[in-house]
Amino acid sequence: MVRATDKTRLQIDPRYLLIMLMPVGVLIVAEYLLGTFGDTSVHLEGLELKDQSQLIELSARYRFLAAVFFFGGATVSVTAIFVFELYSRHTRRSILTTLVGILGIIVVSLSFSTFEPEWMPASFESQALLGDNLFHALMIPASLPGCEAGGSLPDGCKQQGAYFAMEYLLDRVNILTSLSAGAVIAGMVLALSRPAGVGLSVHPDLETEARILKSAQEATQRYLYCSGILLTTGMVLMLSWMSWPGDAILNNDMRKAHAELVSALSIYRGVTYSILILSYYLPVSLILKVRIDAFHDAVATAGKPELAKDVAGFDIQRIATLDALKAIIAIVSPILTGAIGSFGGLAGFGG
């Protein structure tokens, strides 16, 4: 039973939360392809490092730290936006249902990135796809002050150097990634929410429906842009650590070939992230389109065309041009980031 105080708050139909399974499916397929058809046993034969490898490693490490900080800020920001909207606009039932759905996404994503299923060995460990011996050769001898006596890092890192720093920070970034990804996916799905006093079987007046649809469209755009920001900064982070040791390779041909390998893998990840965005944005958009079409029919029948004109986003020409262009840019932004990075134009992240 809906309490009177909750009637103005939003409530999501639990069935719509099944949309959150679609990005999980995309993730499983993407990692299956890498784990089955990729090569996690890459070994760079005859590897030699430049005399300046210590300085090269430090430069790459600082770029990585900057990317971690940048990505951490993005994840905290988009998660904060979601938490504020969820607790300020939704009923307790809607909040609880949504949190259960997010928990499911976190468990599944961490099961890949942290626990790594046996049927897909090392697929999330991109250093295994790029030559683990290269990462070891450059990063393990590198000094890490946090591992020294009195340092803040565990004693077990003393013999692992910068390699430990990479894994230590990435493990914690994975937690932020899972939480923020769950937030933007759930935020997108919650655009389908309706006031608790207006169930699927209850048809509100046209003025109320116009406000509901306007709010829903604004929410989809907001979380589409949040998704683009989150996954684009994620691509910057990924490029920074995949290309960490590459510049230290002495042999010119091997260095160029390794840079190409980093580029190819970054583009694959960018495509994966873009399809992830599509997997939850497209279903929500299609459901909203059905509602908007029904609204237009009702407005035409009632002879109140001014209601549609007063609601931002119902102008078909505007949707077909500017809004569509912005949506496309947000969706393909991870691919663009991967492509730019692959040509060495992303703030020195190229090979």
Side-chain angles (χ1 to χ4, degrees), residues 1 17 27 35 48 56 73 108 113 127 142 151 154 161 165 175 181 185 220 223 270 296 321 334:
M1 182 175 179
L17 293 179
L27 181 64
E48 294 184 59
I56 293 172
V108 171
S113 58
Q127 59 266 31
I175 297 174
I185 294 170
T220 57
Y223 284 102
H296 276 293
T321 54

Side-chain angles (χ1 to χ4, degrees), residues 109-130:
S109 59
L110 286 181
S111 70
F112 283 101
S113 58
T114 302
F115 304 111
E116 297 172 12
E118 293 182 2
W119 58 272
M120 200 177 291
S123 63
F124 255 90
E125 299 287 347
S126 290
Q127 59 266 31
L129 296 165
L130 296 168

Side-chain angles (χ1 to χ4, degrees), residues 126 130 235 238-239 242 259-273 334-343:
S126 290
L130 296 168
M235 279 300 305
M238 182 170 293
L239 283 165
M242 286 198 301
E260 288 296 324
L261 182 59
V262 170
S263 299
L265 186 55
S266 67
I267 290 176
Y268 180 85
R269 294 295 193 187
V271 169
T272 299
Y273 290 168
I335 299 178
L336 295 176
T337 305
I340 293 171
S342 71
F343 287 106

Side-chain angles (χ1 to χ4, degrees), residues 39-223:
D39 185 359
T40 57
S41 61
V42 176
H43 186 86
L44 278 65
E45 300 293 342
L47 174 65
E48 294 184 59
L49 301 180
K50 296 178 181 179
D51 294 337
Q52 305 85 0
S53 61
Q54 181 180 4
L55 295 178
I56 293 172
E57 188 280 322
L58 277 174
S59 298
R61 193 193 308 184
Y62 294 144
R63 287 197 295 265
F64 172 75
L65 292 176
V68 168
F69 203 13
F70 185 32
F71 181 71
T75 58
V76 170
S77 297
V78 299
T79 303
I81 291 172
F82 169 76
V83 170
F84 175 78
E85 291 192 353
L86 180 65
Y87 280 91
S88 64
R89 301 182 62 191
H90 286 260
T91 64
R92 291 183 180 179
R93 176 184 173 186
S94 187
I95 292 172
L96 179 61
T97 305
T98 302
L99 291 179
V100 170
I102 293 176
L103 181 61
I105 288 182
I106 292 174
V107 170
V108 171
S109 59
L110 286 181
S111 70
F112 283 101
S113 58
T114 302
F115 304 111
E116 297 172 12
E118 293 182 2
W119 58 272
M120 200 177 291
S123 63
F124 255 90
E125 299 287 347
S126 290
Q127 59 266 31
L129 296 165
L130 296 168
D132 221 6
N133 67 315
L134 169 61
F135 283 80
H136 287 170
L138 179 71
M139 300 168 70
I140 287 181
S143 174
L144 194 65
C147 292
E148 303 298 331
S152 58
L153 296 176
D155 292 338
C157 73
K158 289 182 178 179
Q159 306 303 318
Q160 300 179 62
Y163 192 86
F164 175 86
M166 179 185 70
E167 291 199 317
Y168 181 86
L169 289 172
L170 286 178
D171 283 344
R172 281 141 187 83
V173 164
N174 285 335
I175 297 174
L176 286 176
T177 302
S178 299
L179 181 61
S180 57
V184 295
I185 294 170
M188 181 73 74
V189 174
L190 290 181
L192 300 175
S193 301
R194 299 172 74 79
V198 180
L200 291 177
S201 60
V202 179
H203 298 283
D205 58 81
L206 292 178
E207 289 81 1
T208 300
E209 184 68 3
R211 289 194 298 271
I212 294 172
L213 291 174
K214 178 181 177 180
S215 176
Q217 286 186 307
E218 291 173 347
T220 57
Q221 292 300 305
R222 180 163 55 253
Y223 284 102

